[in-house]
C-alpha cells in the first residue's frame, strides 16, 4: 500500500508539471520501486509482489521516456527490460495465468514501441521481434478465450502495430495482410456483441472504407 501511495504521488506530480515536479515524480517512483523490490525479494513466489515490481519498473521507464534527457533512453530501456524479465519469470511460474501472460505481452509491445521510436541500428529488427512475441502470446490468449473482449482487443492492437510497422518499412503486402486480419477480427467482435470502444469503432470504419475503396 505504501508503494502504491508513492506511485500515486509520482503520477500527480508528473501530471501537474510545475517547477520541480519532475524531480518529485522521479523520487516518488524510485521510493515505490525500492519498496516493490524489497517485497519481491522477501516473497519471490508471490505473484502480486512480482506484478507490482514490474509495474514500478514500467512507471520509471515511462518517466524517463517522457523526460528525454541525456542518458534517459538507456534508463528507459533498462527499466522496460527489467519489467519484462520479471513478467517472463512470473509467466513461466504460472503458465495458466492469463493475466501474467497478458502482462508479458504488454511488456513486449512496450519494448517494440521503444525500439521503433529510438530507430537506432538494428532497432527495426528488435521492434519486429518484440511485436511478434506480443502477438504470439495474444493469439494464444484469444484462442483460449474467444469471447473475452480484452483478449480480442489486445489482439487487434497487435495486428495494428504490425500493420503500421510493415507500412513504415515498405512491406505493403504484409501490411495489408495485417490490416485485413485487424478488420476481420473487429468485424467478428461486432458480430459476437463484444464491446468496441470509440477508437476501435473508428478504426473498423476506416478499414471497411479502405476495403470498399480497394
Amino acid at each position: 500500500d505504501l508503494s502504491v501511495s508513492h506511485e500515486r504521488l509520482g503520477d500527480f506530480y508528473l501530471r501537474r508539471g510545475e517547477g520541480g515536479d519532475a524531480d518529485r515524480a522521479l523520487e516518488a517512483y524510485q521510493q515505490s520501486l525500492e519498496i516493490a523490490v524489497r517485497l519481491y525479494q522477501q516473497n519471490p513466489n508471490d505473484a502480486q509482489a512480482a506484478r507490482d515490481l514490474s509495474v514500478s519498473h514500467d512507471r520509471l521507464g515511462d518517466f524517463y521516456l517522457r523526460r528525454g534527457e541525456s542518458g534517459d533512453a538507456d534508463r528507459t530501456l533498462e527499466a522496460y527490460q527489467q519489467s519484462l524479465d520479471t513478467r517472463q519469470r512470473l509467466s513461466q511460474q504460472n503458465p495458466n495465468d492469463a493475466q501474467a501472460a497478458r502482462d508479458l505481452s504488454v511488456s513486449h509491445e512496450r519494448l517494440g514501441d521503444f525500439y521503433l521510436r529510438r530507430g537506432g541500428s538494428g532497432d527495426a529488427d528488435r521492434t519486429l521481434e518484440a511485436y511478434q512475441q506480443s502477438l504470439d502470446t495474444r493469439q494464444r490468449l484469444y484462442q483460449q478465450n474467444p469471447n473475452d473482449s480484452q483478449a480480442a482487443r489486445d489482439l487487434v492492437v497487435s495486428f495494428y502495430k504490425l500493420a503500421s510497422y510493415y507500412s513504415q518499412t515498405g512491406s505493403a503486402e504484409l501490411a495489408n495482410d495485417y490490416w485485413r486480419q485487424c478488420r476481420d477480427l473487429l468485424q467478428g467482435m461486432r458480430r459476437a456483441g463484444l464491446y468496441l470502444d470509440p477508437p476501435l469503432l473508428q478504426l473498423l470504419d476506416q478499414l471497411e472504407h479502405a476495403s470498399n475503396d480497394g
Side-chain angles (χ1 to χ4, degrees), residues 152-164:
R153 190 185 193 287
D154 289 344
L155 185 52
V156 166
V157 171
S158 278
F159 287 147
Y160 179 89
K161 295 278 186 180
L162 280 163
S164 299

Side-chain angles (χ1 to χ4, degrees), residues 154-191:
D154 289 344
L155 185 52
V156 166
V157 171
S158 278
F159 287 147
Y160 179 89
K161 295 278 186 180
L162 280 163
S164 299
Y165 168 84
Y166 282 120
S167 293
Q168 292 179 37
T169 56
S171 302
E173 184 176 350
L174 287 169
N176 288 335
D177 182 55
Y178 280 111
W179 287 129
R180 177 186 56 76
Q181 293 185 71
C182 191
R183 182 200 66 212
D184 291 350
L185 180 53
L186 286 168
Q187 290 174 334
M189 290 174 67
R190 183 173 57 188
R191 287 193 300 270

Side-chain angles (χ1 to χ4, degrees), residues 132-143:
Q132 189 63 57
Q133 288 175 314
S134 182
L135 172 66
D136 292 345
T137 299
R138 290 172 175 179
Q139 284 180 317
R140 186 176 71 253
L141 288 174
Y142 176 70
Q143 290 167 356

Side-chain angles (χ1 to χ4, degrees), residues 102-114:
R102 181 179 186 272
D103 290 344
L104 180 58
S105 76
V106 170
S107 276
H108 282 302
E109 181 184 287
R110 185 174 274 117
L111 272 172
D113 291 344
F114 170 83

Side-chain angles (χ1 to χ4, degrees), residues 1-208:
D1 290 344
L2 180 58
S3 71
V4 170
S5 287
H6 283 302
E7 182 182 289
R8 193 164 285 141
L9 266 176
D11 292 345
F12 169 80
Y13 289 131
L14 197 61
R15 181 171 182 175
R16 187 174 68 173
E18 295 184 358
D21 277 349
D23 290 338
R24 296 184 188 101
L26 178 57
E27 181 181 3
Y29 289 148
Q30 288 174 332
Q31 288 176 319
S32 178
L33 175 62
E34 289 170 4
I35 294 170
V37 168
R38 187 172 69 249
L39 286 175
Y40 178 69
Q41 290 173 343
Q42 293 170 352
N43 304 276
N45 295 318
D46 186 325
Q48 187 61 53
R51 188 170 193 275
D52 289 345
L53 177 58
S54 70
V55 170
S56 285
H57 283 303
D58 281 344
R59 279 288 204 283
L60 268 177
D62 291 345
F63 171 85
Y64 290 130
L65 186 65
R66 177 172 175 170
R67 188 175 68 171
E69 295 183 358
S70 176
D72 278 349
D74 290 339
R75 296 183 186 99
T76 299
L77 178 57
E78 181 182 5
Y80 286 166
Q81 188 62 57
Q82 288 176 318
S83 178
L84 175 65
D85 292 345
T86 300
R87 288 173 172 172
Q88 283 179 323
R89 287 194 300 271
L90 182 58
S91 184
Q92 289 167 356
Q93 292 168 355
N94 303 274
N96 297 318
D97 186 330
Q99 184 61 56
R102 181 179 186 272
D103 290 344
L104 180 58
S105 76
V106 170
S107 276
H108 282 302
E109 181 184 287
R110 185 174 274 117
L111 272 172
D113 291 344
F114 170 83
Y115 289 130
L116 186 64
R117 177 173 176 169
R118 188 175 68 172
S121 176
D123 279 346
D125 291 339
R126 296 184 186 99
T127 299
L128 179 57
E129 181 182 5
Y131 283 164
Q132 189 63 57
Q133 288 175 314
S134 182
L135 172 66
D136 292 345
T137 299
R138 290 172 175 179
Q139 284 180 317
R140 186 176 71 253
L141 288 174
Y142 176 70
Q143 290 167 356
Q144 294 170 350
N145 303 279
N147 295 317
D148 185 329
S149 294
Q150 186 63 64
R153 190 185 193 287
D154 289 344
L155 185 52
V156 166
V157 171
S158 278
F159 287 147
Y160 179 89
K161 295 278 186 180
L162 280 163
S164 299
Y165 168 84
Y166 282 120
S167 293
Q168 292 179 37
T169 56
S171 302
E173 184 176 350
L174 287 169
N176 288 335
D177 182 55
Y178 280 111
W179 287 129
R180 177 186 56 76
Q181 293 185 71
C182 191
R183 182 200 66 212
D184 291 350
L185 180 53
L186 286 168
Q187 290 174 334
M189 290 174 67
R190 183 173 57 188
R191 287 193 300 270
L194 299 182
Y195 175 67
L196 294 174
D197 57 33
L200 289 186
L201 287 172
Q202 182 179 13
L203 176 59
L204 176 57
D205 183 64
Q206 292 171 347
L207 292 174
E208 288 182 332

